[in-house]
Amino acid sequence: MSSTVGQVIRCKAAVAWEAGKPLVIEEVEVAPPQKMEVRLKILYTSLCHTDVYFWEAKGQNPVFPRILGHEAAGIVESVGEGVTELAPGDHVLPVFTGECKDCAHCKSEESNMCSLLRINTDRGVMINDGQSRFSINGKPIYHFVGTSTFSEYTVVHIGCVAKINPLAPLDKVCVLSCGISTGLGATLNVAKPTKGSSVAIFGLGAVGLAAAEGARITGASRIIGVDLNASRFEQAKKFGVTEFVNPKDYSKPVQEVIAEMTDGGVDRSVECTGHIDAMISAFECVHDGWGVAVLVGVPHKEAVFKTHPMNLLNERTLKGTFFGNYKPRSDIPKVVEKYMNKELELEKFITHTLPFAQINKAFDLMLKGEGLRCIITMEN
C-alpha cells in the first residue's frame, strides 16, 4: 500500500446521486488524509436501515451526491498529520460517532456522546477543513456520517476509528460498528438485567435481536419479544427469546398483556422500533419498584412521549441510549473480543452476502424486510 501514501487514489464507490434512485458504481478520487484523519481500505461493509433512511431522504435534509455506508471493516492505508495511535496495516472498524478523548463527554464515565464527533447526518464534509475527500472530475461527492463505507477507500477522522484484534474476521465483526453494538450495549450497559430476570424486547429487527442477545448473555430467564410481524418470531428463538407477543392479537394495550404475563411487569425492557406507542408501552410494562425501560429507537421528530407521572413516582426508571453507551475507540475493541472469546455470536445476524457490484440488491432485501444483515464484499 505504501505506493499510494500521499497520493490521490482512484477506486470504485457506490454513489447515491439522488433520493431513492439506485446507487451507481463510479470511479471516484479519494484524497489523502489530512490532519487527524486516516484513509482506510474497506474490505467489507454491511447495510443498516439508517443508510436506507437517508437514501430515501423522506424525513431529513437531502444531501446528494453522496457515498453512504457506515457499518464496515477495513485496513488502514495511510494516516494524516498528528495521528500516532494508528499505522498502515492496522485492522479497524470505522464508526459513525466518535471519541475525541478530550471533551467533557469523553472524559465522563457515564457518556459516549462526544462533543466534537457526535453523529451529524447533515454534514457531508470533513471537520478539519470543511471539504470532501471524494470527487469525480473535480466535483465533490459528499460524505455520510463521517464514514462513507460504500467505497473501496474512504477517509475518516481518527476519533471515529476503532483499532481491533488483527485476528478477528473482518467479514463478521464489521456488523459491530453500528446496529449490533447499539442493541447489545442497550442491554448490557444500560438496562443491565440480572441473571434470572425478565426482559421485554420491543422490535425484533437486527437491533432488537442484538438487545435480546445481550439479555441471553446476562442469563435472563424470560426474554419476551414484542413485534407486529409474527414471521420474525421463529428466527428470534436463536437469540434467546423465549416468548412472543404480537400486539395485534389483543384488544388491550400490550403493556397490560405483559404485566399480566409477568405478575406486575418485566424487570427490564428495551425498545428498538422508534415508534412512540412502543416506547410508551415499553416504559409502562416494567415492574413498579425496580423496573427499568431503555429507549433505543429514534422517533419521528414530532413525536411526544406521554405517560402518567405516577408511573415514574412508583419507582420505574426510563433511560435512553445512543450507540449502546459504547465509546467507539475504548469499548468496541472489547466487544470484538467478546466475539473472539465466543461469548457473543455474530454469524446468526448475517443472513446474506453479496459482491459490491450487487449493492442495490442489498437495498432491495432490506426494503422487503428479508434477512438481518447483508455483508457486501468489496473485493469481487
Side-chain angles (χ1 to χ4, degrees):
M1 292 185 191
S2 58
S3 63
T4 56
V5 172
Q7 306 294 314
V8 170
I9 290 178
R10 287 179 173 80
C11 69
K12 290 179 181 177
V15 178
W17 288 100
E18 53 185 306
K21 295 294 176 66
L23 306 187
V24 182
I25 304 287
E26 305 274 14
E27 182 177 87
V28 299
E29 296 181 343
V30 185
Q34 302 301 306
K35 186 177 181 180
M36 301 309 287
E37 296 172 1
V38 294
R39 187 162 58 185
L40 309 179
K41 179 179 175 65
I42 299 296
L43 297 179
Y44 300 95
T45 186
S46 59
L47 182 63
C48 170
H49 191 267
T50 303
D51 297 306
V52 176
Y53 180 74
F54 283 91
W55 166 72
E56 291 179 317
K58 291 178 179 175
Q60 72 293 120
N61 297 324
V63 181
F64 296 100
R66 198 173 209 180
I67 297 173
L68 298 166
H70 65 284
E71 264 191 14
I75 297 174
V76 175
E77 175 270 336
S78 60
V79 303
E81 177 191 344
V83 175
T84 57
E85 61 184 81
L86 285 174
D90 284 345
H91 287 214
V92 295
L93 302 181
V95 182
F96 65 89
T97 186
E99 181 186 354
C100 72
K101 298 194 175 183
D102 292 323
C103 72
H105 283 279
C106 287
K107 290 179 178 178
S108 164
E109 291 185 4
E110 297 179 39
S111 175
N112 67 335
M113 301 189 73
C114 177
S115 299
L116 177 68
L117 299 169
R118 188 182 307 184
I119 186 173
N120 182 333
T121 57
D122 291 337
R123 187 176 63 234
V125 294
M126 299 300 289
I127 289 176
N128 181 47
D129 59 2
Q131 302 293 315
S132 173
R133 301 289 175 260
F134 299 110
S135 62
I136 295 178
N137 298 325
K139 294 181 180 179
I141 307 295
Y142 295 110
H143 294 249
F144 176 63
V145 295
T147 51
S148 291
T149 62
F150 294 166
S151 175
E152 292 175 321
Y153 287 87
T154 189
V155 178
V156 182
H157 191 284
I158 176 66
C160 299
V161 181
K163 180 181 176 180
I164 64 167
N165 185 338
L167 299 178
L170 296 179
D171 60 332
K172 305 294 189 298
V173 297
C174 63
V175 299
L176 291 174
S177 55
C178 180
I180 309 311
S181 293
T182 296
L184 186 74
T187 303
L188 296 182
N189 301 333
V190 189
K192 298 180 181 178
T194 56
K195 187 174 182 179
S197 61
S198 57
V199 182
I201 308 291
F202 285 73
L204 298 176
V207 175
L209 292 176
E213 179 81 352
R216 181 190 69 79
I217 290 171
T218 61
S221 62
R222 296 181 73 181
I223 304 174
I224 301 169
V226 183
D227 203 296
L228 295 169
N229 184 353
S231 67
R232 289 177 161 178
F233 293 168
E234 190 60 35
Q235 185 176 48
K237 292 177 184 176
K238 299 178 190 173
F239 299 84
V241 181
T242 58
E243 300 159 71
F244 301 93
V245 174
N246 186 334
K248 291 192 291 189
D249 294 342
Y250 300 89
S251 57
K252 55 184 157 187
V254 69
Q255 53 266 50
E256 293 180 18
V257 175
I258 292 172
E260 289 175 8
M261 290 170 62
T262 55
D263 193 22
V266 288
D267 302 309
R268 302 289 186 266
S269 71
V270 185
E271 188 285 324
C272 304
T273 73
H275 293 292
I276 194 66
D277 291 342
M279 292 180 170
I280 295 167
S281 295
F283 174 56
E284 294 182 354
C285 82
V286 298
H287 206 291
D288 58 5
W290 62 78
V292 178
V294 178
L295 305 185
V296 179
V298 179
H300 190 273
K301 59 184 177 182
E302 268 100 47
V304 177
F305 189 100
K306 292 182 179 179
T307 191
H308 197 282
M310 284 307 299
N311 287 321
L312 287 158
L313 296 172
N314 285 338
E315 299 177 7
R316 293 178 181 86
T317 300
L318 178 64
K319 292 185 173 186
T321 180
F322 171 70
F323 192 49
N325 275 48
Y326 285 121
K327 295 178 188 280
R329 296 158 85 183
S330 301
D331 298 334
I332 294 304
K334 299 171 191 172
V335 182
V336 170
E337 291 309 308
K338 281 184 182 293
Y339 168 73
M340 297 298 283
N341 296 334
K342 295 185 167 48
E343 297 170 51
L344 169 64
E345 299 170 13
L346 293 179
E347 284 80 0
K348 57 194 178 185
F349 287 99
I350 299 167
T351 51
H352 297 84
T353 303
L354 290 171
F356 188 35
Q358 295 180 30
I359 189 168
N360 287 303
K361 186 176 178 182
F363 275 73
D364 291 340
L365 288 168
M366 182 157 282
L367 289 169
K368 291 174 184 173
E370 295 179 15
L372 296 173
R373 278 295 183 266
C374 177
I375 304 300
I376 297 159
T377 303
M378 303 303 287
E379 294 183 327
N380 296 339

